[in-house]
Amino acid sequence: MSTINQSGWRPTTPEKGDSDTSTFTGNRALMLEEPLIFEIGSTETTGVDFDFEPGMGAYEDRLGGLARTAPIGLPGLSEPETVRHYTRLSRQNYAIDLGLFPLGSCTMKHNPRLNERMARLPGFADLHPLTPVDSCQGALEVIDQLAHWLITLTGMHAVAMSPKAGAHGELCGVLAIRAALDARGEGHRKILLVPISAHGTNPATAAFANFTVEDIPATDDGRVDLAALKARLGPDIAGVMITNPNTCGLFERDMREISDAVHAAGGYVYCDGANFNAIVGRVRPGDLGIDAMHINLHKTFSTPHGGGGPGSGPVVLSQALAPYAPLPFVEKTAGGFRLVEEETADEHHAGTFGRMVAFHGQMGMFTRALTYILSHGADGLRQVAEDSVLNANYILRSMEDLLDAPFAKSGPCMHEAIFSDKGLPEGFSTIDVAKGLIDEGYHPMTVYFPLVVHGAMLVEPTETESKATLDQFIGAFRSVAARAKNGDPTVKTAPHFAPRRRLDETLAARKPVLAYKEPAVAEAAE
Amino acid sequence: MSRYYTEDHEWVEVDGDIGTVGISDYAQGQLGDIVFVETPDEGKEVAKGDEAAVVESVKAASDVYSPVSGTVIEGNPALADTPELVNEDAEGEGWFFKLTLSDTSELEGLMNESAYADFVSKL
Amino acid sequence: MRYLPLTHADRKDMLSVIGAKTIDDLFVDVPGAAVLDGPIHGLPLHASELAVERHMTALAKKNLAAGDAPFFLGAGAYKHHVPASVDHLIQRGEFLTAYTPYQPEIAQGTLQMMFEFQSQVARLLGCDVANASMYDGSTACWEAIVMARRVTRRGKAILSGGLHPHYVSVANTMAKYTGDVLDTRLPVLGATPDTDDLIGLIDADTSCVVVQYPDILGRIADLSALADACHAKKALLIAVVTEPVALGAIKSPGEMGADIVVGEGQSIGVGLQFGGPYVGLFACSEKLVRQMPGRLCGETVDAEGKRGFVLTLSTREQHIRREKATSNICTSSVLCALAWSIHMTLLGEAGLRQLATKNHIGAIGASNVLSQVPGVELVTPVFFNEFTLKLSKEARPVVRQLADKGILAGVSLGRLYPGVESLENGLVVAVTETTTEEDVATLASALREALA
């Protein structure tokens, strides 16, 4: 078998806990149960009124005999029921607005509401993507201004704005690498080297773009093994995908040397910019020899995560890769902004690898990110990096006496601190510490990632947390970790106070129920 | 009838030139609750060390390598609906596939039961 | 620095706990040559809310919003009325500022909403199962082609000429690098889509046929014969829907035998936003689910036996399977999916059917009025809410000319298919419940003038 369960994550059927006092409704005061829309709605009910117009009754359709006859089965609710349904559901979620969200690698910082207000200005929110160019100059200017900031902050040459999310940005970067290699007549370079500590998206992206992936080992101090990397370079290597700061929360000290070695061997350097928040305004990736890097606007630049999307992943490119950038892009001309699409891509854009997405990318996220960037300015963004790194180191040094911190001796961490399950007694694991934190009122940290640390706990506080908040979190984290270390059985059955106890993920995967089905009408009893 | 193990935690039980392949009890314990097994199609040619099956828990997936070369006779049909057989009886009812061995000399490099037990105790 | 709570005193205290003298001590691993000694030059410093609002508002005013003009643009993005409560609900912090629901005990809100969304999408598209959404329609379309390759182990996809040109463009970009073979064609400016013409092209190497329904010119055709022909050759039929409101009036692709149905969900609950973020829909038959990309939410129980929801079948995904994942996608478009789901819940089946009827009747009326303008011919007699006109001259300059007068007349085929002479007089016109009779009259008289 290939590696068996590297991360050590073994969810099993949850242990039964003590049941609380039951109520008639199943509700517990402010913790309200909410049925599915299929259980409370009806296909006859609607919460939308339509103006009556003559002709709505009898008319001759133009549907060519394809009019729908079968019922669809879509339940409707009145407006008050709808508002209540979703409000009740929302209250079963943890969110940044409620408290610290220490997810490593996710940069769950505060989402300023000015961003939301600006994105909803009708000139942006109610603008069709195929509006003639002269009638959407303001939108193109937003894209151009944001592009200017991203290029300047990263010290790069160009930026591809259209990728829809981080992983889509990775795809953009590796396709640019592929296009550049093909242009050099080096189609035979098919291998991308990816550190074992990388996000899963890196190898998945490489494979999605038809590259072959080879792992690079890490050293004991949590960084890329430079010697192993150099030894593997050669005429079959397309490049490396590296994360810096890396997923262990450390800056890759040898980044420049890695870039130089990869370039000397004829390859390109892709950087996963998921952790750019730690260095924004203080370090420019372009100064480290990087050829392409995606920027998660939903991390560093505060656009909302929304429960898992939509994101946005513009990709900054070096001079070597810029000619291959995808369509469309915005160009400033004397007569205004011009949108370069398929038809206007002339000899200046002959190298473009093509279109990645319909239309122009995540405009709604561009307006939010630009709003945030203008609010912080160059000085504020630099302070963002400093405070995020300060907060992470504060947590690292406040916990390392109690929990194993595998890289604490490697020097300061960047934006996130990593701990392991080493030293927890038999039967206790990272998942128990995570679920224990839920009862304390926190979202758990990232667990069992990166794979280089067994039972990893990755904590990223971000810069938008106050010292008082951090102190309380550290107190809670220490308390739960101590209980786990002492074998407290109540940690094994945590959470006790959440809307749900531990869920049976095994059952969900063995017998998948992915859509609502009406319960079968029971046979009449004999 | 004799049983052989690999260092990658597969076992093969050989009867004449027919082999039955599965993963060891140790391996299922490391994986945790198994939720899905993808077994190879009948007639598939596998070489020793080839990826022949996939075993999945909720949070991990592992490729299972064929301990020997040969032609697949059948995958275990019971695993489609009851993957938990691998947790309950990894080295019996939870077998993955049967194949016709093309080269029985490949067995010489594999471990017997006590050698494997010794190997696992050192992990 | 209104988003930064640490005070100067806090920073000093924390540095001493850490055992560092200055903040620079925490950046020691950064090579000296790459350290910037102050804010990056040439960029403005921080600004007040008021100043930023002024700046952004000025930019927004330079655009002609759909609501400020007689508006007829469609071609993959549609203006519909979105009830006020939708935007109110998606801005609740517990939805807006939540993360991917990896910790299900404290993410049941997002998970239950995903389960409801998946169920709604599956029913609307006529499939067994749907995922929790993709980036958008164009990327969902490519993912479907790749999925068909995995399922059939064949590498040739046949793309209808009626498929949105951007979707074709995205597929061409990817296929260039993956080795997939794409058999593509241009649309023909005529009454019927190429649905039945594709049947003769299916062979033993075909993984899938991809058709759009309604297609880029607004045409609709029965997919049943094409589905049967695909299945006879063991290929899959992929149907793409860019206007889901249509499915309130016409048969779903799943009903007609499509194996995978993908689409752009923007027209329900999600605004135009100049092209994004949108919400990709992705549905298929139950037996294909393990080859599906993207996130899936499933039902289960908790330790007390209460019903709850979790992300499931994760071994298909990149964070578990890495280079062997079904896709590299790591996010979905959950907040847009939420908007979609809320809007759909407000509509319900009865409301959706009414909305679709209103769209269709409005489009019939508009097509009648516009085709009476001299120099305008209706080329697509069968449609839902979008139809194609053939003008007596090239359409693209006409569209620009009308935009300068504050009328957004439709999407010219010259914009979508630059340099294709046979299409350059084509104009695709979309009509929704937001279009008034006055809008149609305004467009008709402007066209009359432009074509005179």
Side-chain angles (χ1 to χ4, degrees), chain A residues 90-245:
Chain A
S90 77
R91 292 166 50 92
Q92 298 177 17
N93 273 1
Y94 193 84
I96 301 173
D97 282 1
L98 289 170
L100 177 78
F101 217 125
L103 274 172
S105 224
C106 302
T107 315
M108 299 296 286
K109 63 169 70 177
H110 167 67
N111 301 154
R113 291 313 193 268
L114 180 65
N115 304 355
E116 296 303 311
R117 186 191 281 175
M118 295 301 95
R120 284 171 171 77
L121 292 168
F124 299 135
D126 192 30
L127 184 65
H128 192 284
L130 297 172
T131 301
V133 171
D134 289 347
S135 305
C136 61
Q137 287 289 302
L140 300 181
E141 197 169 344
V142 166
I143 296 175
D144 185 71
Q145 286 185 5
L146 180 60
H148 175 71
W149 275 94
L150 297 179
I151 289 168
T152 310
L153 287 169
T154 55
M156 300 285 274
H157 190 75
V159 61
M161 295 295 288
S162 68
K164 291 268 183 182
H168 206 225
E170 292 174 26
L171 187 63
C172 173
V174 301
L175 289 181
I177 289 172
R178 178 78 276 156
L181 290 168
D182 289 352
R184 285 174 13 199
E186 303 205 5
H188 56 274
R189 291 181 180 260
K190 284 201 182 310
I191 296 169
L192 278 172
L193 302 175
V194 181
I196 191 80
S197 60
H199 297 112
T201 47
N202 292 182
T205 296
F208 204 61
N210 215 18
F211 285 94
T212 310
V213 179
E214 280 189 27
D215 291 334
I216 321 172
T219 56
D220 289 344
D221 78 344
R223 292 183 170 89
V224 167
D225 186 334
L226 183 64
L229 172 71
K230 282 182 170 171
R232 185 58 195 87
L233 293 173
D236 54 346
I237 300 294
V240 294
M241 295 182 84
I242 207 157
T243 309
N244 196 17

